Each structure stands twice: as structure tokens, then as C-alpha cells.
Amino acid sequence: MKSVLVLYYSRGGHTARISRAVAEQIESSGNRCTVMHISEATKSGLDWSQYDCVALGACVLYGSYDKSVFAFASEHQAALDSLPNSFYSVNVVARKPEKRIPENNKYLQKFIELSPWKPKDVKVIAGKVDYPSWRWWDRLAIQMIMKMTDGPTDPKSVIDYTDWDDVKVYADHLVSLAK
């Protein structure tokens, strides 16, 4: 039995949902999985030696990741590097299949460039447009970005672009990385 640690940063809740789905798949295959927000991991601390693999996931907003993601990766770089590891980027630009390819996803590439931690494995997961749940200024800014990229702009739109079957495949992949 393998033990996988899934850490994430989520602003609106979708990356948290993806992370829980990863954990559910890992556990359904008879393995153990701990899933937690990076703020919880920072507060409670982690015994990294309990895990055979670690995945860190984060969402993109306004073209970047929250600064806490970079701070966490920097602070825990040695621990992350001590295990087989993966980084998953959740972003709406990945609604286009060619942007799910790591080399074609500028947000994932930006993380790799800016983070002191260089993940051994990476994954791009398409996110969710949820205009009704966003603050008005976020909605307007994202609508403008979507207009420029031929995305949905209807303020009532709720579109989940996540390929949930691929999320399960990624979870199985994490187990295969475990030492």
C-alpha cells in the first residue's frame, strides 16, 4: 500500500474539488491519501516521512499563482524534492486541448520558471468558469480575458472544463510514482 500526500491551493474551491477527487481515486485503489490546503499544512506541520509521493496543485488567477504557493514551494523545497513529486496546474486556458500539454501551457511553464522547486512530474488540468460565484471585479476582469481568448463571457455561465476521467488517470499515475 502506497501513501500519497496531495497538497493544494484553491481560491474558489474547484482545485480543492479536483484534489479530493484525486484522493478518492487513490483510496479506491487500496492506497492511502492525505489531502490538505497548503495553509493547513503550514499551520499543522507535516511528517513528510509518512509519504511515498507528494503532489502539489494550484489554480491560476489573473495569469499567475497565489504568492503563498511560491512561498510554500520555497519553504518546503527540500521535503518536496525528497519524495517522488508532481505539480498540477488548474487553469481555464486548458479548456483548449493543446493547452493541456505541459510544454504548451504558459502558466505551468511560468511556475517552473519562477519556483525554486522544480517538480519531477507535471500535469495540466482544465478548470472551471463560474461567473455567478465570483466577485464582480473578478468576473469583469476574467470576462475581458475570455473575450480576448475566445472564451465564454456570459455572466451567468458556469462551465466545468475538467476532464474528471483524466483526473482519475492522474491519481493512478501518482500512485505509480510512489517509491
Side-chain angles (χ1 to χ4, degrees):
M1 178 171 52
K2 303 293 183 179
S3 182
V4 180
L5 174 62
V6 176
L7 301 165
Y8 67 90
Y9 172 84
S10 185
R11 181 162 174 206
H14 194 66
T15 303
R17 184 175 168 215
I18 289 168
S19 301
R20 287 190 303 271
V22 166
E24 288 170 13
Q25 178 64 22
I26 289 169
E27 290 173 346
S28 76
S29 66
N31 294 286
R32 291 185 320 138
C33 187
T34 301
V35 60
M36 67 175 66
H37 194 283
I38 60 172
S39 64
E40 179 187 350
T42 299
K43 286 177 192 168
S44 64
L46 290 168
D47 179 359
W48 296 87
S49 67
Q50 291 183 49
Y51 303 102
D52 303 305
C53 178
V54 60
L56 173 61
C59 58
V60 172
L61 186 65
Y62 299 129
S64 191
Y65 304 91
D66 190 82
K67 64 183 178 183
S68 66
V69 176
F70 293 106
F72 185 88
S74 180
E75 181 180 344
H76 299 285
Q77 180 180 354
L80 289 163
D81 282 335
S82 72
L83 295 168
N85 62 64
S86 183
F87 176 77
Y88 58 102
S89 173
V90 178
N91 58 76
V92 178
V93 74
R95 71 187 183 278
K96 298 177 180 179
E98 68 275 11
K99 299 296 183 180
R100 290 183 206 137
I101 299 167
E103 296 77 19
N104 294 345
N105 189 285
K106 67 181 179 180
Y107 302 117
L108 176 62
Q109 295 305 314
K110 187 175 188 178
F111 178 84
I112 293 168
E113 177 186 330
L114 297 176
S115 174
W117 170 57
K118 305 302 180 205
K120 296 172 186 156
D121 182 79
V122 293
K123 177 70 174 170
V124 178
I125 299 172
K128 179 179 179 181
V129 170
D130 190 354
Y131 288 119
S133 74
W134 293 338
R135 297 176 293 199
W136 69 270
W137 60 85
D138 287 335
R139 185 177 62 248
L140 288 176
I142 294 168
Q143 281 175 305
M144 186 174 67
I145 294 166
M146 287 294 183
K147 186 173 178 93
M148 294 185 303
T149 61
D150 297 320
T153 57
D154 179 346
K156 295 178 185 139
S157 292
V158 177
I159 305 167
D160 184 352
Y161 292 103
T162 306
D163 179 341
W164 293 100
D165 289 332
D166 191 50
V167 169
K168 290 178 181 179
V169 169
Y170 176 61
D172 293 339
H173 172 70
L174 291 175
V175 172
S176 78
L177 293 177
K179 50 180 173 167

